[in-house]
Structures are given as C-alpha cells and as structure tokens.
Amino acid sequence: MNSIAAFSLKHRVLMLVVFVMVLLGGFIAFQQLNIEAYPDPTPPMVDVITQSPGLSAEEIERYITIPIETQTAATKNLTSIRTISLYGLSDVKLQFSFDYTYDEALQQVLNRLAQLPALPNNVQPQINPVSPIGEIYRYKLVGPPNYSVLDLKTLQDWVLQRRFRAVPGVVDVSGWGGKTKTFELQIDFNKLLAFGLTLPQLLQAINNSNINVGGETVNIGPQVAVVRGVGLIRTIDDLNNTMVTQSNGTPVLVRDLARVVVGHQPRPRHCRKRRR
C-alpha cells in the first residue's frame, strides 16, 4: 500500500491523466447503458410469427417453420433456434449472442426473411415486437354499466391503443380480453341456390361493392366537378342494401340472401402495454 501511495505521489500527472480517462469512460458507458423499468439481462431474441389458417400442425412445420428455420440458420451471432408449430401458427424464436443489440439482430433477421421464397397461400412472417421482460404497465379498461365488453374492446382497439403507441419509448400495445366486433352474414343457402348463386360469388360481390372509385370531371363554367362513386360500407344497412346480382331486372340484395348481425371473434385474455 505504501509503495502504491509513493508511486502515485511521484507520478502525479500520470495519475491525473488516468483519473480523467476513467471519468470519461464512465460517462460514455453511462450514456450507452440500457435503462428500463425492468432491465433485460437476456441476450437479444427475435420472435418470428407466421399465421396460416387451415394448415395442420404437420403442414405448418413442413411448409413454413422449416423453411424459415433454414433461411435464418446461417445468421451471424445466432446461438439457438426454438420453434413451435401449431394448427395455423408457426413460432420461430431466434436467440443471439451479446455481440448484437436487439436492433442489429432484428435487421439481420429481416434481411434473411426478405430472401425467403414464397410461402403457401402467400402468408407473410411477422416480427413479434414484444420484449419478454420490457413490460412497463398493465391496465384494466372499465366503463359505464351500459358498456359491454364488445364496446370496451372496440374503444381499446380504435382509440386507446393508437394513442399509447404514439407515446415515445412504447414499442407495442397488446390487448387481451373483451370481444372484437365483427359483422357476420347468416346465409340462407336455400335462397342462395334459388337465385343460382354460390358462396364465393356472394363474398366477391360484397368485396367489389366495398370500394370508392373515381371517374372523370365535369366542367361547370369556370369550375370543375369531380365525379366519384362512393361504395364503402359503413353500417349494417349499407351491407344489407348491397346488390349481389339481378333476377329478371330486379336487383338481388344481401338482405334477400342473408341476415347481417354483429358478432365477435374468439376472446383473448387481458390488456397490457409494453416497451422495449
């Protein structure tokens, strides 16, 4: 200890230089330190999700999971690959070493997926933006007594979720629970056959009607009016009054073939807001 003190006193300029370098290095390290509400000690992981309704788990494994796994297996600094193949769902988890940050690992995976050959039904792999530890907030949405879980889920999806995603630092907002609103057609197949129609023809007619189209312009003196056909379906009445075909000069509407009701998708669990 005495020798160290003597050396320091003898080389004061050197000690001062070392002190300044350590101080500067600590300041730089502090600026680059990843500070979260829950620090993530795990190496970067990229989760590739692919949905293909109608394919069995075996088909998902053969036609989607294995091609993605093969395409990404040669990615630099990749340490492990874990996959799950379920009915209609493929999940490929890619674990990287600490040589990469999350953003660098994500970019490498995106570069690999861009070279992936076309998958069955032209499905597109999606990157799950959720960090396994970066959850910062959970909330429960409640409303007046006349609000159903369908109304609350609609408010969550179309208002709250969009505003939360605009908050700096929030990567994604994942909602569970409630009922996601859908408009369902309860088709009377006897009426469908009576008009000589098939189910694909009915669906195609609805898709073709749910668009806005532009036309020519009409000159009215010094002014010009744009002719536009408005066909976007906004309400249940619009859907009921959509024309499918004509029979002996009489239009056949959706309400003549089916009953339109408000339904919901299968329910998830709860709501959470996450950040990375």
Side-chain angles (χ1 to χ4, degrees), residues 59-115:
E59 292 170 333
I60 288 288
E61 175 76 16
R62 178 180 302 174
Y63 300 121
I64 296 180
T65 302
I66 291 180
I68 294 178
E69 182 179 356
T70 303
Q71 182 68 24
T72 57
T75 307
K76 187 178 179 181
N77 295 326
L78 181 66
T79 58
S80 65
I81 301 178
R82 297 191 298 275
T83 64
I84 300 175
S85 297
L86 303 174
Y87 174 78
L89 177 66
S90 169
D91 185 2
V92 179
K93 299 182 185 296
L94 305 171
Q95 190 83 48
F96 291 84
S97 66
F98 285 106
D99 295 325
Y100 273 162
T101 64
Y102 173 80
D103 292 332
E104 292 172 337
L106 176 61
Q107 187 60 52
Q108 291 295 324
V109 174
L110 291 176
N111 292 341
R112 293 283 179 173
L113 293 179
Q115 303 173 9

Side-chain angles (χ1 to χ4, degrees), residues 222-241:
Q223 299 180 343
V224 175
V226 178
V227 179
R228 190 166 70 103
V230 179
L232 285 178
I233 297 174
R234 301 182 181 274
T235 64
I236 291 181
D237 290 337
D238 292 341
L239 188 55
N240 277 319
N241 294 326

Side-chain angles (χ1 to χ4, degrees), residues 243-264:
M243 192 179 81
V244 180
T245 185
Q246 61 86 27
S247 177
N248 298 324
T250 302
V252 178
L253 308 179
V254 169
R255 66 166 177 256
D256 300 324
L257 305 171
R259 179 169 172 260
V260 182
V261 298
V262 176
H264 61 85

